Amino acid sequence: MELTNIATVREILSRHGFSFSKGLGQNFIINPGICPEIAENGNAQPGWGILEIGTGIGVLTKELALRADKVSAVEIDTRLLPVLEETLAGFDNIKIYNEDVMKADLRGIIERDFAGLHAAVCANLPYYITSPVLMLLLESRLPIESITVMVQKEAAQRLCAKVGTRDAGAITVGVNYYGTARQLFGVSRGSFMPAPNVDSAVIRIDINKEPRLAPDEEEFFFRVVKAGFSQRRKTVANALSSLLGADKEKVYQVLRELGLPETSRIEALDMQQLTELSAGLMKLMK
Ligand code: SAM
């Protein structure tokens, strides 16, 4: 069954009485070039299990299952289950979990379904929860090696920006803390049904094998990053002293030790400088 053929997709969906939910970010891929490209760039290959988030009618699920040993997918919309039974009939390496990705036991799914396999995430993410899903996947330190996802073009730019440049935000630091992100290719809005109002891009995050910091240092680092970026136009000293309760003089002292001007703003610091700033402050505040 050709799941990128518009007439076929319309026929299946209308037969099942399915109407698209904007609230659930339902824009299904109808450009035949995209899903094979995501699968091939996303580690869908022998010896791997792939976790998919949001199946839609299974257009990407199918391409993943053709290449990887196993595919487990979490889909919140119960109305899609009978559709998937039809579109994915014949595959014996796909498991669908009818759950909310934010509440599902993703670790349990990966450990159970992908025992003995490498694991990765591939998805055309529902855009309304792009950042929460990515942070959930990263922060929960799931046993996955990469995350290859379609996101809005602007989100892709932010996620893949260099830390220390204007395009970077707290989420950029978060992603760079846990791994390395890069943009793979752009996707125009016409590649989806229905077409969204924005273009998209596919990014891949390769996840670090070892954590950069010890747990207490990590917790403090993210407090600094959140406090700093919530007032990113202020100087580091102003943003951190009000939000973290850090004495401004202490912040100046750490900045001086790092060879940075007292007027530094958080958005201008690179990953190394942010880590050192956090470590220096943590020592002084103890
Ligand atoms: N993978 C399909 C494709 O590319 O055509 C569908 C992608 S569509 C952008 C996002 C999918 O995620 C929809 O099927 C939607 O129902 C599902 N979804 C939305 N919110 C979800 C959630 N919280 N948990 C799991 N799935 C969700």
Side-chain angles (χ1 to χ4, degrees):
M1 194 181 300
E2 195 39 81
L3 297 180
T4 48
N5 180 302
I6 300 178
T8 310
V9 176
R10 285 217 176 98
E11 190 278 319
I12 299 170
L13 293 181
S14 85
R15 193 154 35 75
H16 287 273
F18 180 87
S19 55
F20 291 95
S21 157
K22 220 175 180 183
L24 289 178
Q26 291 179 338
N27 301 97
F28 299 166
I29 297 173
I30 45 155
N31 176 335
I34 310 285
C35 292
E37 194 82 353
I38 296 178
E40 270 155 34
N41 280 291
N43 276 325
Q45 54 187 315
W48 286 70
I50 306 291
L51 174 70
E52 189 192 6
I53 296 154
T55 58
I57 62 166
V59 63
L60 175 59
T61 324
K62 190 176 153 186
E63 296 299 330
L64 297 171
L66 285 171
R67 294 167 175 83
D69 285 3
K70 289 191 172 167
V71 177
S72 291
V74 181
E75 170 57 59
I76 199 171
D77 192 344
T78 311
R79 300 173 308 154
L80 287 167
L81 299 186
V83 177
L84 291 165
E85 246 171 60
E86 186 179 333
T87 56
L88 301 177
F91 284 92
D92 60 2
N93 61 344
I94 300 176
K95 261 194 196 167
I96 309 284
Y97 293 85
N98 183 204
E99 286 180 58
D100 177 348
V101 64
M102 300 306 292
K103 297 182 187 148
D105 173 18
L106 300 178
R107 178 174 295 277
I109 293 175
I110 294 168
E111 287 178 354
R112 249 189 342 267
D113 294 356
F114 304 156
L117 297 174
H118 292 281
V121 169
C122 287
N124 170 15
L125 284 181
Y127 292 164
Y128 75 103
I129 44 168
T130 299
S131 300
V133 169
L134 288 178
M135 287 321 288
L136 173 78
L137 294 174
L138 294 167
E139 280 172 356
S140 38
R141 294 199 182 284
L142 297 174
I144 52 174
E145 293 172 45
S146 64
I147 300 174
T148 305
V149 283
M150 173 107 69
V151 299
Q152 284 189 359
K153 192 172 146 195
E154 288 67 28
Q157 274 157 1
R158 179 158 285 248
L159 290 163
C160 300
K162 198 166 157 28
V163 175
T165 65
R166 282 190 88 101
D167 287 341
I171 182 86
T172 322
V173 179
V175 166
N176 271 274
Y177 177 82
Y178 292 105
T180 313
R182 66 197 158 93
Q183 189 165 321
L184 299 180
F185 55 92
V187 178
S188 70
R189 60 195 76 186
S191 298
F192 302 89
M193 183 168 129
N197 296 325
V198 287
D199 293 321
S200 298
V202 175
I203 65 162
R204 170 165 159 158
I205 303 169
D206 285 289
I207 299 169
N208 300 336
K209 286 202 171 63
E210 298 298 331
R212 279 177 188 259
L213 299 171
D216 58 332
E217 293 169 334
E218 179 176 306
E219 198 260 336
F220 191 80
F221 174 78
F222 279 106
R223 274 177 58 203
V224 168
V225 169
K226 277 182 194 140
F229 275 93
S230 70
Q231 309 211 7
R232 56 185 294 161
R233 302 272 170 245
K234 287 194 178 177
T235 63
V236 173
N238 279 331
L240 296 189
S241 62
S242 61
L243 285 160
L244 217 58
D247 183 343
K248 231 187 244 187
E249 227 358 271
K250 285 185 174 169
V251 183
Y252 289 145
Q253 190 185 328
V254 177
L255 287 170
R256 276 196 302 270
E257 281 166 14
L258 298 180
L260 292 167
E262 290 182 357
T263 51
S264 296
R265 285 189 298 177
I266 197 114
E267 63 180 13
L269 305 186
D270 64 22
M271 208 57 199
Q272 180 72 21
Q273 291 167 329
L274 284 172
T275 316
E276 287 172 2
L277 172 71
S278 166
L281 280 173
M282 192 171 157
K283 232 189 281 164
L284 277 185
M285 285 179 70
K286 266 190 176 164

